[in-house]
Amino acid sequence: MLRYTLKRLGYMVVTLWVIITATFVMMKMLPGDPLKSEKVPPEVRAQILKQYGLDQPLPVQYVKYLGNVVQGDLGKSLSFDGRSVTDMILEGFGPSAFIGIQGLLFGTVIGLILGSVSALKRGSLIDNASTFFAVLGVSIPNFVMAALLSYYVGVVWGILPPGLWESYEYSILPSLALSFPVIAQISRYTRTEMVEVLDQDYMKTAKAKGLERSAIIIRHALRNALIPAVTILGPLAINIITGSLVVEQIFAIPGMGELFVTSVINNDYTLIMGVTIFYSVLIVGVIFLVDLLYGVIDPRIRLSGAKE
Amino acid sequence: MAKVLEVRDLHVSFKTYNGEVQAVRGVSFDVNKGETVAVVGESGCGKSVTSQTIMRLLPSPPSMIKSGEIMFDGKDLTKLDEKQLEKIRGAEIAMIFQDPMTSLNPTMTVGGQITEGLMKHQKMSKEEAKKKAIEMLRLVGIPSPESRISQYPHQFSGGMRQRAMIAIALSCAPKLLIADEPTTALDVTIQAQIIDLMKELQEKVGTSIILITHDLGVVADIADRVVVMYAGKVVESGSLDEVFYQPKHPYTWGLLASMPRLDQSSDQDLQPIPGSPPNLLNPPKGCPFAARCKYAMKICTQEMPETSDVSSTHRVACWLQHPMAPKVEPPAMAVGGE
């Protein structure tokens, strides 16, 4: 298990290095530079470029940057008066993480319940309704859902605030918008798997032990049905992370999404790099976590690769 | 002898798109205290349906008990509701299934699967149940049970998994153990071990056993009495010796003749029973075996024979038993070898 974990960590580092390098090269290939729009005399311009180390040859800039990143220093923003990029990201990450995690939670819990009930009551009204809902959830992009929710629930019915970021209520609609595809996918996977698990021999063994139906389903069926749901949790979490870029804009939430969009428009090299690296770490980290979680749920995976 | 279980004229059907499949059509047999009754017959004869109906494990619909009763401990199991059945399943009647590879939950420790029944039926605490589970694993011959208990089924071999299944089944000291082809999925060497284990534990625990099988070798090894089923009916029943050495039903003859024997010379071929069992969507009016029976008479295809007593324990349902029927000698392959 330890060897497996270390190996995965090694892969993570390599992946991140490739991403940093690729982003760095592509960013330098973009036309223009951060000072292009400002009307500054050439001497001042040269001085600022020097201050940020942008006058040096690219390989030198690259090595220097890499060295700083390893030490956790993402540099200073070029467009926001030299504020630390790390601080800006941490500030924007709060709201983003909150609606993202809450969305994933909403989605997983509702999806599991819906999927299990569908499987147990195959062919019932609930089953058909949840299938219909799942098709909607998969086919409607979450930014459309976000706009609809913001307009109807927020503006027309006035149940929850349609945007901005002031207190807890402001987080519910964005989280719901993000959770729709999650509900759809998790409920489908859970249903399919649950139907299969309910037919397994060990379900009969459990029944033959005289266990109550609820105990059989929770203890024996759900855990086995959960395994495939966990695998898609990784991609779903990543969908939420990327989806929130747009959803945050719709709800006017001062999160990572806003940071990302403005940084690209401003050609703010350090901020672009910082946000990209941060997202990469997040996504690679989620994949890594899901791999570990898999092993926790399914003991057969925990042992493969590791000798006893 | 005290009867543990009495099955009386049990009829079980399945509703399918094509109509009603009459899987069990009037099965009756008894199980006495401490004895082993083998139910034999080929695939689809209704033996597993009978056993699972005793436990009421079959989902309804599609299955339904059309008529008959299953008396256990003064209660008719066909009339109990789920709550009452939960108290009997695992505690008083336990079951071992055919395939130990799939009958254990892969995501739960073996210990956990033994203790959950103990905690439910005997109201044991977690520690007590764990202690008992270790004891059970030791009883079924699993080495170092203290460490094995926290392992998962995939870390057990096939034979050990079946031993674990037996430990689960016997943990609450049931009055009746139903073993549904417990050795079919195992290697031959392991089969013998499992049968020996069941015999040994039966003596220790005093459980009655219903053994569902199509392996006559296993039957000869462990059974006290034999019930031969064909197409949802009991065609012959009696003590082991009666059924093996004085079989009366042509189907039983066929079964015995198709079993390989050590004393048979190599130029003697096994004699399979030609044909296949009838479709139970439309069971024949007369004896279901008539179409495959060498000795079939006109009456056989028209009317189902009554069950007649050969001795006080030996019963057979065949027209050949009728006083007016011609005397037929069973083929040499089927009997002998005393």
Side-chain angles (χ1 to χ4, degrees):
Chain A
M1 189 68 191
L2 185 70
R3 239 187 89 185
Y4 172 76
T5 313
L6 287 176
K7 209 164 123 190
R8 297 302 313 232
L9 273 171
Y11 286 146
M12 263 173 79
V13 172
V14 175
T15 313
L16 286 175
W17 173 74
V18 171
I19 293 173
I20 293 172
T21 310
T23 321
F24 187 87
V25 172
M26 285 193 282
M27 194 180 64
K28 293 295 177 187
M29 282 159 66
L30 284 176
D33 66 52
L35 301 176
K36 200 180 162 202
S37 55
E38 320 268 336
K39 288 196 171 63
V40 283
E43 315 85 67
V44 179
R45 186 186 152 82
Q47 219 228 301
I48 293 176
L49 284 180
K50 192 171 177 202
Q51 188 190 332
Y52 284 98
L54 294 172
D55 57 341
Q56 284 163 319
L58 280 185
V60 177
Q61 285 187 35
Y62 171 69
V63 171
K64 224 177 193 172
Y65 186 75
L66 217 53
N68 286 341
V69 168
V70 170
Q71 292 163 30
D73 177 14
L74 295 172
K76 289 192 175 356
S77 165
L78 295 174
S79 49
F80 289 93
D81 299 333
R83 283 185 59 198
S84 150
V85 169
T86 316
D87 287 350
M88 290 174 73
I89 288 176
L90 289 180
E91 214 169 88
F93 183 59
S96 297
F98 192 84
I99 60 164
I101 291 170
Q102 185 172 258
L104 197 61
L105 216 66
F106 281 173
T108 313
V109 172
I110 300 173
L112 278 179
I113 294 173
L114 225 58
S116 307
V117 173
S118 298
L120 292 172
K121 305 215 179 294
R122 248 177 290 175
S124 69
L125 190 70
I126 293 184
D127 186 17
N128 290 328
S130 111
T131 306
F132 178 71
F133 186 80
V135 173
L136 279 188
V138 172
S139 42
I140 299 181
N142 53 15
F143 55 84
V144 175
M145 215 61 220
L148 288 174
L149 281 176
S150 174
Y151 181 66
Y152 283 101
V153 184
V155 179
V156 178
W157 301 329
I159 300 170
L160 287 163
L164 291 180
W165 189 251
E166 276 158 32
S167 61
Y168 175 71
E169 292 100 79
Y170 290 79
S171 73
I172 296 176
L173 283 186
S175 288
L176 265 184
L178 286 173
S179 74
F180 269 82
V182 182
I183 296 175
Q185 298 244 26
I186 296 263
S187 71
R188 283 295 85 188
Y189 271 81
T190 309
R191 182 188 183 276
T192 316
E193 202 55 27
M194 196 75 164
V195 164
E196 201 168 288
V197 167
L198 288 175
D199 270 345
Q200 295 286 321
D201 286 349
Y202 55 80
M203 295 307 293
K204 208 166 243 180
T205 310
K207 193 175 177 189
K209 273 185 216 168
L211 301 179
E212 289 152 32
R213 191 162 161 76
S214 56
I216 296 175
I217 287 165
I218 294 169
R219 226 177 304 160
H220 290 271
L222 202 57
R223 183 159 180 185
N224 286 290
L226 224 55
I227 295 167
V230 169
T231 23
I232 55 160
L233 219 52
L236 285 176
I238 291 162
N239 273 348
I240 282 200
I241 294 170
T242 50
S244 72
L245 287 180
V246 185
V247 171
E248 278 173 23
Q249 299 283 309
I250 292 169
F251 287 99
I253 292 167
M256 291 286 290
E258 195 185 300
L259 222 50
F260 197 44
V261 174
T262 49
S263 71
V264 175
I265 293 171
N266 288 341
N267 250 333
D268 188 341
Y269 291 161
T270 39
L271 194 53
I272 298 176
M273 286 299 292
V275 174
T276 311
I277 292 172
F278 186 78
Y279 271 124
S280 319
V281 170
L282 214 60
I283 288 171
V284 176
V286 164
I287 296 172
F288 177 66
L289 259 182
V290 167
D291 274 349
L292 291 188
L293 201 59
Y294 217 19
V296 171
I297 291 188
D298 192 340
R300 287 166 297 186
I301 289 172
R302 206 179 307 163
L303 282 159
S304 59
K307 292 272 174 292
E308 260 189 276
Chain B
M1 251 201 280
K3 279 179 186 158
V4 174
L5 182 84
E6 263 186 277
V7 179
R8 285 285 156 266
D9 198 30
L10 184 68
H11 286 75
V12 183
S13 291
F14 290 87
K15 273 249 185 296
T16 68
Y17 285 114
N18 299 323
E20 187 184 318
V21 176
Q22 301 171 33
V24 173
R25 306 183 294 145
V27 164
S28 302
F29 64 92
D30 301 335
V31 180
N32 295 323
K33 195 170 182 323
E35 82 174 342
T36 300
V37 175
V39 178
V40 298
E42 63 200 281
S43 305
C45 71
K47 53 192 197 297
S48 285
V49 172
T50 306
S51 67
Q52 295 193 15
T53 305
I54 295 170
M55 279 287 255
R56 297 287 305 280
L57 285 181
L58 295 170
S60 171
S63 81
M64 40 185 182
I65 300 171
K66 303 285 281 187
S67 62
E69 53 185 27
I70 301 169
M71 296 305 293
F72 175 82
D73 217 8
K75 284 171 284 214
D76 183 354
L77 297 183
T78 62
K79 304 245 166 12
L80 299 187
D81 62 28
E82 269 305 299
K83 273 273 151 282
Q84 293 166 307
L85 286 167
E86 277 165 16
K87 290 207 179 80
I88 291 177
R89 285 187 199 127
E92 307 205 31
I93 307 179
M95 194 152 181
I96 307 170
F97 296 93
Q98 177 172 346
D99 191 352
M101 298 296 176
T102 56
S103 299
L104 292 167
N105 184 341
T107 56
M108 204 169 177
T109 60
V110 172
Q113 300 190 51
I114 302 177
T115 53
E116 62 178 349
L118 288 166
M119 291 196 284
K120 153 113 201 199
H121 295 299
Q122 312 209 331
K123 308 274 174 278
M124 283 187 180
S125 70
K126 215 169 180 169
E127 286 72 42
E128 287 172 315
K130 196 178 164 196
K131 229 179 258 169
K132 174 84 182 176
I134 292 174
E135 193 188 306
M136 287 311 297
L137 284 182
R138 185 172 291 124
L139 193 68
V140 297
I142 288 181
S144 53
E146 293 85 359
S147 59
R148 284 294 188 170
I149 194 163
S150 48
Q151 290 190 336
Y152 289 89
H154 69 274
Q155 292 162 289
F156 278 49
S157 69
M160 290 212 304
R161 286 188 211 184
Q162 198 59 302
R163 284 170 192 267
M165 275 298 292
I166 294 174
I168 292 173
L170 293 181
S171 61
C172 296
K175 291 189 184 126
L176 177 65
L177 175 69
I178 302 174
D180 191 350
E181 309 208 24
T183 57
T184 309
L186 301 174
D187 290 346
V188 184
T189 47
I190 309 294
Q191 284 183 9
Q193 290 176 13
I194 294 292
I195 292 298
D196 285 346
L197 175 67
M198 283 175 60
K199 271 196 328 204
E200 182 195 321
L201 291 178
Q202 182 175 33
E203 273 162 35
K204 272 190 203 160
V205 189
T207 308
S208 306
I209 297 178
I210 297 178
L211 178 73
I212 314 286
T213 183
H214 53 244
D215 185 341
L216 293 173
V218 169
V219 174
D221 199 7
I222 190 173
D224 297 306
R225 285 195 304 120
V226 182
V227 173
V228 182
M229 281 186 72
Y230 185 78
K233 285 180 176 292
V234 174
V235 293
E236 183 163 6
S237 63
S239 71
L240 180 68
D241 285 350
E242 284 166 339
V243 173
F244 268 56
Y245 299 119
Q246 292 132 37
K248 296 294 179 205
H249 198 286
Y251 178 63
T252 316
W253 298 344
L255 275 186
L256 291 166
S258 60
M259 179 173 69
R261 299 155 66 122
L262 279 178
D263 58 354
Q264 101 195 33
S265 60
S266 54
D267 55 340
Q268 271 178 298
D269 286 334
L270 284 181
Q271 294 173 11
I273 307 173
S276 52
N279 183 351
L280 293 177
L281 262 175
N282 281 309
K285 187 159 53 131
C287 172
F289 190 59
R292 300 168 78 184
C293 181
K294 275 202 278 208
Y295 314 97
M297 300 169 286
K298 200 173 172 194
I299 181 85
C300 295
T301 57
Q302 287 165 351
E303 235 178 283
M304 182 63 206
E306 289 289 307
T307 305
S308 53
D309 293 347
V310 180
S311 74
S312 62
T313 52
H314 191 180
R315 294 161 67 79
V316 61
C318 179
W319 282 115
L320 290 177
Q321 296 303 310
H322 196 272
M324 281 164 67
K327 289 283 159 280
V328 172
E329 283 303 314
M333 276 293 284
V335 287
E338 298 255 348

